[in-house]
Amino acid sequence: MIQNEVLSAIAARRSCRAYRPEQIKPEELQAVVEAGTWAPTGMNRQSPVIVAVQDKATRDQLSAMNAAIMGTDNDPFYGAPTVLVVLADRSVPTHVEDGSLVMGNLLLAASSIGLGSCWIHRAKETFESEEGKALLRKWGLDPEKYRGVGNCILGYPAEGGIKPAAPRKADYVVKV
């Protein structure tokens, strides 16, 4: 089987669900967000925007909003100190797909440099709320233009935060 650095990074990536409290380094954040900007997008329209949140008060506000949508008061960000909010221009027909590819790049890049990461859902609902729209306006983004696609949480994995890979299902690929 062919193997290289990229294929190895893909196979090694896992979601992290427990984080140490210390903030990631600026150069780590830069490497991850830059990888997100290189994701393919429909007709290269580059519809997504990445909002890097490291301010604890804003991070905690996003966590509380996400938890409320889920109907819980637990931290859906598992203690991760950084949240990369991926939004996309809803006028672009491929905006959800574009934002999803950005999320994939963010997750892979984080794993490849030793950070823990996880896709946290409910960004769409978060930024459809009045509180979410107010945040978008505060960040200089038009709430009528952008739709939430996902939240990529980042941090240093805590012990037990990353579980071993589950086996791939037998019928994952159908060859025709």
Side-chain angles (χ1 to χ4, degrees), residues 2 4 9 46 49 56 58-60 68 72 74 92 104 124 129 139 145 160 166 169:
I2 296 173
N4 64 31
Q46 301 180 37
V49 171
K56 183 167 175 21
T58 306
R59 178 257 182 241
D60 291 349
T72 184
N74 294 331
V92 175
K124 176 181 181 286
S129 73
W139 299 337
K145 180 177 180 178
K169 64 181 185 176

Side-chain angles (χ1 to χ4, degrees), residues 46-120:
Q46 301 180 37
S47 69
V49 171
I50 304 164
V51 178
V53 177
Q54 292 190 301
D55 169 67
K56 183 167 175 21
T58 306
R59 178 257 182 241
D60 291 349
Q61 179 182 6
L62 288 171
S63 173
M65 293 168 69
N66 196 296
I69 294 163
M70 261 193 333
T72 184
D73 58 1
N74 294 331
D75 176 15
F77 297 156
Y78 301 103
T82 297
V83 180
L84 303 180
V85 179
V86 176
L87 307 148
D89 180 344
R90 67 178 77 238
S91 73
V92 175
T94 57
H95 69 279
V96 173
E97 294 84 353
D98 295 348
S100 296
L101 287 164
V102 167
M103 286 289 294
N105 273 23
L106 297 173
L107 296 164
L108 284 169
S111 176
S112 77
I113 63 171
L115 294 176
S117 65
C118 190
W119 180 321
I120 304 299

